[in-house]
Amino acid sequence: MGGMRLSGTTALITGASSGIGAAIAVALAAAGSRPLLMGRDEDRLARVARSTGGVPIVADLASPEGVADAAGRAFENAEHIDVLVNNAGIGWAGPLEAMSEGDVARLTDTNLVAPIYLTRRALPRMVERGGHILFVTSIAGCTGVREEAVYAATKAGLHVFAEGLRYEVAGNGVGVSVVVPGVVATPFFERRGTPYGRRRPRPVPAERVARAAVDALQHDRAEVFVPRWMRLPARLHGGMPGAFRALAARGG
Ligand SMILES: NC(=O)c1ccc[n+]([C@@H]2O[C@H](COP(=O)([O-])OP(=O)(O)OC[C@H]3O[C@@H](n4cnc5c(N)ncnc54)[C@H](OP(=O)(O)O)[C@@H]3O)[C@@H](O)[C@H]2O)c1
């Protein structure tokens, strides 16, 4: 895979009504791509559509029917999907016993199952002309985070799904990238009901994640960490898990 020229492409972006997804939509539109914008909030989605010239597709992706309906409406608007950005996601923080089974299902359905379903449906639209699928995961999925075990599991699952898929679709001219953010200044924390409580790492702007996403598409990068130093805890966890766990136990 040699990376992608974005001008003239059609990009389907989930979670485009807020935060990282909205910033990716703006960055892709600036690079000449036509965005198809998925989200639940009609007003916020309409605002992003106005600023990007994109097509809003109001959809709840947390069920197979929701994904099928959303994909159908996206495909009515575009014969080919050149880029799929699986970004929509929700958080949940707190002790596992306080998390209802409904919350567990909502998190896994939104963060892990929906992107798999949507990818499955979008792939046939890509194999003829090639394309690129980008997943927004999280550093939590590389290391695990206390009181975010389920969230981290959904992101780890998505990361490994992307790794497997990359081998599978390379022969069809479809690239796969994973963007791994650390902490990003978006409504994510407020919406999950638990504010971000640490001093470090400092949140980075969503636009920085969007720049990394565009760069990953243009240069077919398999894995990009934002900020870049975030790859260090991921590598330490992978290469020296004992040392990582000792540090994490001390530093939380
Ligand atoms: N913020 C961080 O620190 C951080 C760090 C690492 C990874 N991430 C990941 O980055 C991604 C984007 O998060 P963000 O920070 O930009 O948060 P955000 O501002 O809360 O945006 C989340 C987006 O996901 C959409 N979404 C959530 N549930 C949905 C559903 N059931 N159906 C359709 N769309 C749904 C939301 O749509 P509506 O607004 O229309 O409901 C919204 O557009 C998530 O996958 C998150 O896990 C975030």
Side-chain angles (χ1 to χ4, degrees):
M1 297 297 307
M4 185 172 238
R5 209 173 149 264
L6 290 167
S7 178
T9 59
T10 297
L12 173 54
I13 304 151
T14 70
S17 49
S18 179
I20 294 169
I24 291 177
V26 169
L28 283 176
S33 191
R34 182 173 79 108
L36 304 179
L37 309 158
M38 279 188 186
R40 291 173 301 185
D41 188 300
E42 204 170 337
D43 291 343
R44 278 192 278 114
L45 207 56
R47 273 204 292 278
V48 180
R50 276 197 294 280
S51 67
T52 58
V55 179
I57 299 167
V58 178
D60 189 335
L61 299 174
S63 72
E65 300 76 30
V67 175
D69 172 59
R73 282 186 287 138
F75 301 156
E76 278 167 20
N77 275 284
E79 209 176 313
H80 302 283
I81 304 292
D82 302 293
V83 175
L84 169 62
V85 177
N86 280 300
N87 160 77
I90 52 173
W92 198 96
L96 184 63
E97 321 84 84
M99 191 176 190
S100 72
E101 288 175 0
D103 287 334
V104 174
R106 210 162 43 86
L107 226 69
T108 49
D109 286 346
T110 307
N111 293 2
L112 179 59
V113 179
I116 294 173
Y117 284 169
L118 193 57
T119 299
R120 211 186 126 265
R121 286 179 180 272
L123 259 177
R125 309 249 151 191
M126 290 187 172
V127 289
E128 261 174 47
R129 309 192 331 163
H132 205 107
I133 306 173
L134 185 138
F135 296 87
V136 178
T137 65
S138 167
I139 187 65
C142 300
T143 62
V145 172
R146 185 182 61 198
E147 299 198 340
E148 294 187 40
V150 177
Y151 173 73
T154 65
K155 292 299 184 177
L158 197 59
H159 201 122
V160 176
F161 171 71
E163 290 295 319
L165 189 71
R166 181 176 305 112
Y167 302 119
E168 191 174 319
V169 298
N172 296 329
V174 178
V176 176
S177 296
V178 177
V179 172
V180 190
V183 183
V184 189
T186 73
F188 174 87
F189 299 98
E190 191 189 317
R191 297 177 87 184
R192 76 177 182 181
T194 313
Y196 177 62
R198 297 194 187 93
R199 280 215 335 264
R200 280 177 301 158
R202 295 237 315 263
V204 301
E207 289 70 23
R208 191 154 159 196
V209 185
R211 281 197 298 276
V214 168
D215 178 70
L217 292 169
Q218 287 172 330
H219 298 99
D220 189 27
R221 300 199 196 285
E223 186 183 60
V224 182
F225 290 83
V226 189
R228 284 176 67 181
W229 68 263
M230 269 290 155
R231 73 186 185 286
L232 299 176
R235 300 288 178 253
L236 183 62
H237 180 266
M240 298 174 71
F244 180 90
R245 286 182 196 122
L247 278 173
R250 266 200 281 153

